[in-house]
Amino acid sequence: MEPLRPWLVPFLLPERCFDQFFLRFQLLDVPCLKILLSKVLGYGIVAGSVLVKVPQLLKVWGSLGGHFWVILRYFW
């Protein structure tokens, strides 16, 4: 499970929890489960809120046509 460490530790789990879950196989460690659940729910809420806005952005982008690039130029 060491190849997963660079991906999981900075984003989902502290080092101690990674060791508990993947090295010692103690999957019912309550403090680590709380941390993992909290992080997963947080990322899920953020991802869901971004996905909800995508259709709106596509609709606005489509209605502006070529004017979108003119408006975007002012922000760059």
Side-chain angles (χ1 to χ4, degrees), residues 22-55:
F22 296 108
L23 299 179
R24 296 186 189 125
F25 298 109
Q26 293 178 349
L27 300 177
L28 297 178
D29 187 38
V30 175
C32 290
L33 282 175
K34 286 182 181 180
I35 293 170
L36 180 64
L37 182 63
S38 171
K39 295 251 182 148
V40 167
L41 284 176
Y43 285 131
I45 289 169
V46 170
S49 64
V50 167
L51 288 176
V52 166
K53 296 294 181 186
V54 169

